[in-house]
Amino acid sequence: MPSSDVIEPIARALSIMSAMNQHRLSTISDLHRATGLPKPTVHRILATLISCGYVGKDIDRSVYMLTEQVLSLSSGYGKEAWLLQVGTPVARRITREVKWPVAIGILDYNTIVVQYSTRPYSEFVMQGSTVNKRFNLFSTAMGQAYLGFCEETQLQNILQALRDQEVQEDCILESDSKIKRYIAAVQDRGYGLRVGNRGESTHMAIPIKSDHQIIGVIGLSIFSSCFNDKVAKEYLALLRKSAGEIVDSMDKMMALAEHSAT
Amino acid sequence: MPSSDVIEPIARALSIMSAMNQHRLSTISDLHRATGLPKPTVHRILATLISCGYVGKDIDRSVYMLTEQVLSLSSGYGKEAWLLQVGTPVARRITREVKWPVAIGILDYNTIVVQYSTRPYSEFVMQGSTVNKRFNLFSTAMGQAYLGFCEETQLQNILQALRDQEVQEDCILESDSKIKRYIAAVQDRGYGLRVGNRGESTHMAIPIKSDHQIIGVIGLSIFSSCFNDKVAKEYLALLRKSAGEIVDSMDKMMALAEHSAT
DNA sequence: AAAAGCGTTCCATATTGCGAAACATTTTTT
DNA sequence: AAAAAATGTTTCGCAATATGGAACGCTTTT
């Protein structure tokens, strides 16, 4: 009675791999018992997994184990994935509420990479999707949200890395005092801000902090002509509330997962 | 021309998941391009993975991402898995060379758990397999190999944990000085040793240390009647050489994996 | 307005995975 | 030592099912 449209061999292979992850070494009979699959089937699935490199077999004996290649299925899975899983619905909710597009980004090397954007949902037409686009740390709202509120050591690391890179885009880097003033301004304001010209858009962003660490930034875009102190205050509060919700949900989910991961 | 006996749907699903692990969010077209699979096929595989809980889908848009459940395929994969992957062939080689069975164990809570044993390969018949059996830290050769050569803080942690457990098996715990003498004796000897009576077997074991940390222990069993100082010296050298090889191979492989895991 | 791209559904077809049964080998029991 | 039980592996005829071209509806781009 498997719900239709499910490719059975795949479901079976995954259950085998999941079972193999419970113990370091497995025999065919172990897996037969653990999954309820007929032994010839287990055998054939293992042959497939071996051929694909995810399973290794003891040469002489019939003992199987997962290889390090299983990490290629999950190594990208970390805090950022949690952030997205929890963050995307929140971002969509904000856009439903205030119409303006919302984006979630993370730090990658020395830029902010947009991971998710509700731009397509927004009724206000703006230029195409920004997903996977990289944004400069200086001069963008999301970048400011990171630089202005990360820990001092992290800041120094980033600045050093920026100085080391060959192409110098930010002339601000030439003066330490300029940097300090720039960052202090962001901190005083309480959020990242990049005001666009008339006809362009203006962006505001804040960090998403968990455990004193910035795990990502969340930003909102708005037509420059619609931007003023009043809406800034309103949307800032909304972003802060949302960031808080994201962190709370993440903590809960991660605690849950930790617990159920035997 | 896929090498026969490989279940295609499984191989395809794995390639999809592997591709999804590269970017946080994927569209069907992304995966279609990345894997070369027809779009209806990608669609069907994703439906399967969603049904199995390994993939989540953005409600409104068609954006897919791996869920935390992918960790259930690999969370058990750590240093110990590397140890086994590298260690098992070494263990077999020793047994081929000297005939006696060799076992590899790791610390789990407050016991040593045998992960692999070449007992079935040994021409000397001994009692059944010891895989997944737990061995006391005191009074066994493998346990001594751990206690005698782990770091002081680790030792204290273990002792505390042993004292805390309800059933007190090791009366040696009652006296700190007894413990100290016991451990000092192991250290002086240079390896864990449990001498059996005539007709029984004798066991010797040493730690496998990488980066000042004990990642496992390796031990050799021998008929008590065959054990004497001369063979002890010989086998100890063999075990030490082998442990060194294991650590070297592990370091190499892990460095390699680190590098190729983009 | 047209064209290109995307996600999704359909469906006839042959492919392909299936697992009972038989066989080989090892381990345990008698 | 023999018998019995358990485990790993191979075979094979058949039915189940995964397949992907084509078509559809939709959005985005030209």
Side-chain angles (χ1 to χ4, degrees):
Chain A
M1 249 100 318
S3 62
S4 67
D5 255 5
V6 170
I7 303 176
E8 222 59 31
I10 294 176
R12 291 172 170 205
L14 291 170
S15 77
I16 290 275
M17 291 179 78
S18 188
M20 290 185 80
N21 188 49
Q22 312 269 67
H23 312 91
R24 307 231 141 62
L25 302 175
S26 315
T27 65
I28 289 196
S29 290
D30 290 340
L31 297 170
H32 162 63
R33 273 186 294 270
T35 62
L37 296 171
K39 276 193 281 187
T41 301
V42 175
H43 189 263
R44 207 170 330 115
I45 291 174
L46 285 174
T48 300
L49 295 176
I50 289 171
S51 163
C52 295
Y54 292 91
V55 167
K57 183 187 181 183
D58 197 320
I59 312 160
D60 329 72
R61 263 202 301 176
S62 291
V63 181
Y64 300 84
M65 62 169 112
L66 293 174
T67 68
E68 76 281 4
Q69 199 173 324
V70 293
L71 295 177
S72 80
L73 303 175
S74 64
S75 63
Y77 206 90
K79 269 205 165 179
E80 321 85 46
W82 287 102
L83 172 63
L84 274 185
Q85 218 169 344
V86 172
T88 53
V90 175
R92 275 199 307 276
R93 212 196 49 215
I94 299 177
T95 298
R96 258 199 304 277
E97 198 174 324
V98 302
K99 307 305 178 198
W100 300 109
V102 169
I104 293 175
I106 61 169
L107 183 76
D108 189 29
Y109 298 104
N110 304 314
T111 52
I112 295 287
V113 182
V114 169
Q115 294 291 327
Y116 183 78
S117 158
T118 63
R119 211 167 273 246
Y121 301 150
S122 172
E123 293 161 28
F124 299 106
V125 186
M126 299 190 177
Q127 81 241 18
S129 172
T130 53
V131 171
N132 284 326
K133 291 242 166 71
R134 307 186 92 84
F135 290 95
N136 204 308
L137 280 177
F138 286 99
S139 80
T140 66
M142 285 188 146
Q144 288 177 14
Y146 197 100
L147 285 181
F149 305 101
C150 69
E151 289 190 321
E152 180 63 21
T153 54
Q154 173 73 346
L155 178 62
Q156 292 308 325
N157 289 338
I158 291 175
L159 290 178
Q160 192 51 52
L162 281 172
R163 275 189 278 258
D164 287 348
Q165 74 184 5
E166 299 199 2
V167 194
Q168 285 298 347
E169 298 166 338
D170 298 298
C171 52
I172 198 176
L173 282 165
E174 287 161 13
S175 153
D176 271 10
S177 60
K178 257 192 186 168
I179 294 176
K180 267 194 186 147
R181 261 181 284 141
Y182 186 86
I183 289 178
V186 174
Q187 291 171 339
D188 285 347
R189 194 194 304 123
Y191 61 97
L193 175 68
R194 176 185 165 103
V195 180
N197 297 324
R198 286 218 152 255
E200 295 177 354
S201 49
T202 289
H203 309 269
M204 44 193 302
I206 62 164
I208 303 173
K209 293 183 96 164
S210 167
D211 209 9
H212 294 276
Q213 239 198 329
I214 298 186
I215 51 181
V217 293
I218 182 167
L220 182 145
S221 303
I222 177 173
F223 287 161
S224 298
S225 51
C226 300
F227 185 77
N228 59 47
D229 283 358
K230 185 168 161 291
V231 301
K233 205 171 167 187
E234 181 188 335
Y235 293 156
L236 178 60
L238 184 58
L239 285 176
R240 286 214 173 114
K241 187 171 129 267
S242 304
E245 284 171 13
I246 291 174
V247 171
D248 288 348
S249 301
M250 271 184 68
D251 288 349
K252 267 188 209 132
M253 286 186 70
M254 292 182 73
L256 213 73
E258 193 86 25
H259 196 261
S260 66
T262 306
Chain B
M1 247 99 318
S3 61
S4 66
D5 256 6
V6 170
I7 303 176
E8 223 58 32
I10 294 176
R12 292 174 170 206
L14 290 171
S15 78
I16 290 276
M17 292 179 78
S18 187
M20 292 184 79
N21 189 49
Q22 311 268 65
H23 313 91
R24 309 228 138 63
L25 301 176
S26 314
T27 65
I28 289 196
S29 290
D30 290 340
L31 298 171
H32 162 62
R33 273 186 294 270
T35 62
L37 296 172
K39 278 193 281 189
T41 302
V42 174
H43 188 263
R44 208 171 328 116
I45 290 174
L46 285 174
T48 301
L49 293 176
I50 289 171
S51 164
C52 295
Y54 292 91
V55 167
K57 183 185 181 182
D58 197 320
I59 311 160
D60 329 73
R61 265 202 301 176
S62 290
V63 180
Y64 300 84
M65 63 169 116
L66 294 174
T67 68
E68 77 279 4
Q69 199 173 323
V70 293
L71 295 176
S72 79
L73 303 175
S74 66
S75 63
Y77 205 92
K79 268 204 166 183
E80 323 84 46
W82 287 103
L83 172 64
L84 274 186
Q85 216 168 346
V86 172
T88 53
V90 174
R92 275 199 307 277
R93 212 197 49 216
I94 299 177
T95 299
R96 258 199 304 278
E97 198 174 323
V98 302
K99 306 305 179 198
W100 301 111
V102 169
I104 293 176
I106 61 169
L107 183 76
D108 189 30
Y109 297 104
N110 304 314
T111 52
I112 295 287
V113 182
V114 170
Q115 294 291 326
Y116 183 78
S117 159
T118 63
R119 210 168 274 246
Y121 301 150
S122 173
E123 292 160 26
F124 300 106
V125 186
M126 298 189 177
Q127 81 242 18
S129 173
T130 52
V131 172
N132 284 327
K133 291 242 167 72
R134 305 187 93 85
F135 289 95
N136 204 305
L137 279 177
F138 285 99
S139 80
T140 67
M142 286 189 145
Q144 290 176 12
Y146 197 100
L147 285 181
F149 306 102
C150 69
E151 289 189 321
E152 181 62 24
T153 54
Q154 172 72 346
L155 178 62
Q156 291 309 325
N157 289 337
I158 293 175
L159 290 178
Q160 193 50 53
L162 281 172
R163 274 189 278 258
D164 287 348
Q165 72 186 4
E166 299 200 2
V167 193
Q168 285 298 347
E169 297 165 337
D170 297 297
C171 51
I172 197 176
L173 284 165
E174 287 162 14
S175 152
D176 271 9
S177 61
K178 256 191 186 171
I179 293 175
K180 265 194 188 151
R181 260 180 285 141
Y182 185 86
I183 289 178
V186 174
Q187 289 171 339
D188 284 349
R189 195 193 304 122
Y191 60 98
L193 175 68
R194 177 186 165 104
V195 181
N197 297 325
R198 287 220 151 254
E200 294 177 356
S201 50
T202 290
H203 309 269
M204 45 194 301
I206 61 163
I208 303 173
K209 294 182 94 165
S210 167
D211 209 10
H212 294 275
Q213 239 199 328
I214 297 186
I215 51 181
V217 293
I218 182 168
L220 182 146
S221 302
I222 178 174
F223 287 161
S224 298
S225 50
C226 299
F227 185 77
N228 57 49
D229 284 357
K230 185 167 161 290
V231 300
K233 204 171 167 189
E234 181 188 334
Y235 293 156
L236 176 61
L238 184 58
L239 285 176
R240 287 214 173 114
K241 188 171 126 264
S242 304
E245 285 172 12
I246 290 174
V247 171
D248 288 348
S249 301
M250 272 184 68
D251 288 348
K252 268 189 209 132
M253 286 185 70
M254 292 182 74
L256 214 72
E258 194 86 24
H259 195 261
S260 66
T262 306

